[in-house]
Amino acid sequence: MNTRFAHTTKSLLTGAALLAATAVSVAGQIVFVGLGVPHLTLLVFGRSHRVLLPLVPLAGAVFLLGAEWGQTALLGDSSLRPGVLMSRVGGPFFLLLLVRRGPEGAA
C-alpha cells in the first residue's frame, strides 16, 4: 500500500505543477504573484491568518514594485517587462516548494 501512496502523491504533485504551468501560460507571469507570494509570506511570517491576511496583498505589491525597480536598476532604460524577472525568480521558487513539501507535505 505504501508504494501506491507514493505513486498517487507523485501523480498529484505532477498534476498540480501542470495546472500551475497552464495558469501561467494562459494568464501570464503575473500569476506567480498569486501562487508564490502567499507561500513566501507564510514562510517568513508564520501561519497566523490574522497576520497573513493583510500582509499577502502588501507583499504582492512590494514584490511587483521590487521586480520593476530591480530590472530598471540592472538594465537602465532598456528595461524588460516585470514578468521576465518574475519568471526567473518564480520558476525555481515554485519548484523548490514542490520538492520541499514533496510526499511528506502533500497531505
Side-chain angles (χ1 to χ4, degrees), residues 10-25:
K10 286 180 184 178
S11 297
L12 288 174
L13 285 175
T14 302
L18 288 173
L19 286 173
T22 303
V24 170
S25 68

PDB file of all heavy atoms in Angstrom, residues 10-25:
ATOM      1  N   LYS A  10       2.994  11.374  -6.137  1.00  0.00           N
ATOM      2  CA  LYS A  10       3.774  11.908  -7.263  1.00  0.00           C
ATOM      3  C   LYS A  10       2.862  12.331  -8.405  1.00  0.00           C
ATOM      4  O   LYS A  10       3.098  13.359  -9.040  1.00  0.00           O
ATOM      5  CB  LYS A  10       4.795  10.875  -7.745  1.00  0.00           C
ATOM      6  CG  LYS A  10       5.958  10.714  -6.808  1.00  0.00           C
ATOM      7  CD  LYS A  10       6.942   9.693  -7.324  1.00  0.00           C
ATOM      8  CE  LYS A  10       8.045   9.473  -6.312  1.00  0.00           C
ATOM      9  NZ  LYS A  10       8.995   8.456  -6.750  1.00  0.00           N
ATOM     10  N   SER A  11       1.824  11.568  -8.652  1.00  0.00           N
ATOM     11  CA  SER A  11       0.874  11.928  -9.713  1.00  0.00           C
ATOM     12  C   SER A  11       0.152  13.227  -9.386  1.00  0.00           C
ATOM     13  O   SER A  11      -0.027  14.090 -10.259  1.00  0.00           O
ATOM     14  CB  SER A  11      -0.150  10.815  -9.911  1.00  0.00           C
ATOM     15  OG  SER A  11       0.472   9.629 -10.330  1.00  0.00           O
ATOM     16  N   LEU A  12      -0.251  13.395  -8.135  1.00  0.00           N
ATOM     17  CA  LEU A  12      -0.932  14.627  -7.737  1.00  0.00           C
ATOM     18  C   LEU A  12      -0.003  15.835  -7.800  1.00  0.00           C
ATOM     19  O   LEU A  12      -0.414  16.927  -8.218  1.00  0.00           O
ATOM     20  CB  LEU A  12      -1.516  14.471  -6.334  1.00  0.00           C
ATOM     21  CG  LEU A  12      -2.724  13.547  -6.229  1.00  0.00           C
ATOM     22  CD1 LEU A  12      -3.126  13.352  -4.773  1.00  0.00           C
ATOM     23  CD2 LEU A  12      -3.879  14.101  -7.030  1.00  0.00           C
ATOM     24  N   LEU A  13       1.245  15.672  -7.400  1.00  0.00           N
ATOM     25  CA  LEU A  13       2.207  16.775  -7.492  1.00  0.00           C
ATOM     26  C   LEU A  13       2.477  17.150  -8.944  1.00  0.00           C
ATOM     27  O   LEU A  13       2.584  18.336  -9.278  1.00  0.00           O
ATOM     28  CB  LEU A  13       3.513  16.413  -6.781  1.00  0.00           C
ATOM     29  CG  LEU A  13       3.484  16.451  -5.261  1.00  0.00           C
ATOM     30  CD1 LEU A  13       4.802  15.945  -4.684  1.00  0.00           C
ATOM     31  CD2 LEU A  13       3.210  17.861  -4.774  1.00  0.00           C
ATOM     32  N   THR A  14       2.569  16.150  -9.799  1.00  0.00           N
ATOM     33  CA  THR A  14       2.763  16.428 -11.222  1.00  0.00           C
ATOM     34  C   THR A  14       1.551  17.157 -11.790  1.00  0.00           C
ATOM     35  O   THR A  14       1.689  18.122 -12.545  1.00  0.00           O
ATOM     36  CB  THR A  14       3.008  15.118 -11.992  1.00  0.00           C
ATOM     37  OG1 THR A  14       4.150  14.464 -11.437  1.00  0.00           O
ATOM     38  CG2 THR A  14       3.224  15.372 -13.465  1.00  0.00           C
ATOM     39  N   GLY A  15       0.369  16.731 -11.391  1.00  0.00           N
ATOM     40  CA  GLY A  15      -0.847  17.413 -11.838  1.00  0.00           C
ATOM     41  C   GLY A  15      -0.910  18.851 -11.353  1.00  0.00           C
ATOM     42  O   GLY A  15      -1.294  19.755 -12.099  1.00  0.00           O
ATOM     43  N   ALA A  16      -0.513  19.086 -10.098  1.00  0.00           N
ATOM     44  CA  ALA A  16      -0.500  20.450  -9.560  1.00  0.00           C
ATOM     45  C   ALA A  16       0.484  21.326 -10.329  1.00  0.00           C
ATOM     46  O   ALA A  16       0.200  22.491 -10.632  1.00  0.00           O
ATOM     47  CB  ALA A  16      -0.146  20.431  -8.081  1.00  0.00           C
ATOM     48  N   ALA A  17       1.650  20.778 -10.642  1.00  0.00           N
ATOM     49  CA  ALA A  17       2.639  21.534 -11.406  1.00  0.00           C
ATOM     50  C   ALA A  17       2.124  21.853 -12.812  1.00  0.00           C
ATOM     51  O   ALA A  17       2.323  22.964 -13.317  1.00  0.00           O
ATOM     52  CB  ALA A  17       3.958  20.762 -11.478  1.00  0.00           C
ATOM     53  N   LEU A  18       1.454  20.897 -13.444  1.00  0.00           N
ATOM     54  CA  LEU A  18       0.909  21.135 -14.778  1.00  0.00           C
ATOM     55  C   LEU A  18      -0.217  22.173 -14.744  1.00  0.00           C
ATOM     56  O   LEU A  18      -0.310  23.018 -15.645  1.00  0.00           O
ATOM     57  CB  LEU A  18       0.407  19.832 -15.387  1.00  0.00           C
ATOM     58  CG  LEU A  18       1.494  18.848 -15.812  1.00  0.00           C
ATOM     59  CD1 LEU A  18       0.878  17.530 -16.252  1.00  0.00           C
ATOM     60  CD2 LEU A  18       2.347  19.437 -16.916  1.00  0.00           C
ATOM     61  N   LEU A  19      -1.053  22.133 -13.712  1.00  0.00           N
ATOM     62  CA  LEU A  19      -2.116  23.132 -13.589  1.00  0.00           C
ATOM     63  C   LEU A  19      -1.531  24.532 -13.371  1.00  0.00           C
ATOM     64  O   LEU A  19      -2.010  25.511 -13.945  1.00  0.00           O
ATOM     65  CB  LEU A  19      -3.058  22.775 -12.447  1.00  0.00           C
ATOM     66  CG  LEU A  19      -4.016  21.624 -12.718  1.00  0.00           C
ATOM     67  CD1 LEU A  19      -4.772  21.245 -11.452  1.00  0.00           C
ATOM     68  CD2 LEU A  19      -4.977  21.980 -13.833  1.00  0.00           C
ATOM     69  N   ALA A  20      -0.493  24.620 -12.553  1.00  0.00           N
ATOM     70  CA  ALA A  20       0.156  25.913 -12.336  1.00  0.00           C
ATOM     71  C   ALA A  20       0.801  26.409 -13.626  1.00  0.00           C
ATOM     72  O   ALA A  20       0.719  27.600 -13.954  1.00  0.00           O
ATOM     73  CB  ALA A  20       1.192  25.812 -11.228  1.00  0.00           C
ATOM     74  N   ALA A  21       1.445  25.519 -14.358  1.00  0.00           N
ATOM     75  CA  ALA A  21       2.066  25.907 -15.631  1.00  0.00           C
ATOM     76  C   ALA A  21       1.011  26.366 -16.630  1.00  0.00           C
ATOM     77  O   ALA A  21       1.227  27.335 -17.371  1.00  0.00           O
ATOM     78  CB  ALA A  21       2.859  24.731 -16.202  1.00  0.00           C
ATOM     79  N   THR A  22      -0.143  25.709 -16.635  1.00  0.00           N
ATOM     80  CA  THR A  22      -1.228  26.116 -17.523  1.00  0.00           C
ATOM     81  C   THR A  22      -1.748  27.496 -17.153  1.00  0.00           C
ATOM     82  O   THR A  22      -1.987  28.340 -18.026  1.00  0.00           O
ATOM     83  CB  THR A  22      -2.368  25.084 -17.470  1.00  0.00           C
ATOM     84  OG1 THR A  22      -1.846  23.809 -17.826  1.00  0.00           O
ATOM     85  CG2 THR A  22      -3.494  25.462 -18.396  1.00  0.00           C
ATOM     86  N   ALA A  23      -1.911  27.738 -15.860  1.00  0.00           N
ATOM     87  CA  ALA A  23      -2.382  29.056 -15.411  1.00  0.00           C
ATOM     88  C   ALA A  23      -1.413  30.150 -15.816  1.00  0.00           C
ATOM     89  O   ALA A  23      -1.816  31.222 -16.285  1.00  0.00           O
ATOM     90  CB  ALA A  23      -2.581  29.058 -13.896  1.00  0.00           C
ATOM     91  N   VAL A  24      -0.117  29.889 -15.684  1.00  0.00           N
ATOM     92  CA  VAL A  24       0.881  30.882 -16.056  1.00  0.00           C
ATOM     93  C   VAL A  24       0.896  31.093 -17.560  1.00  0.00           C
ATOM     94  O   VAL A  24       0.998  32.224 -18.042  1.00  0.00           O
ATOM     95  CB  VAL A  24       2.275  30.475 -15.533  1.00  0.00           C
ATOM     96  CG1 VAL A  24       3.360  31.357 -16.104  1.00  0.00           C
ATOM     97  CG2 VAL A  24       2.303  30.533 -14.017  1.00  0.00           C
ATOM     98  N   SER A  25       0.755  30.016 -18.331  1.00  0.00           N
ATOM     99  CA  SER A  25       0.794  30.173 -19.786  1.00  0.00           C
ATOM    100  C   SER A  25      -0.441  30.910 -20.304  1.00  0.00           C
ATOM    101  O   SER A  25      -0.362  31.617 -21.302  1.00  0.00           O
ATOM    102  CB  SER A  25       0.919  28.810 -20.469  1.00  0.00           C
ATOM    103  OG  SER A  25      -0.251  28.049 -20.284  1.00  0.00           O
TER     104      SER A  25
END
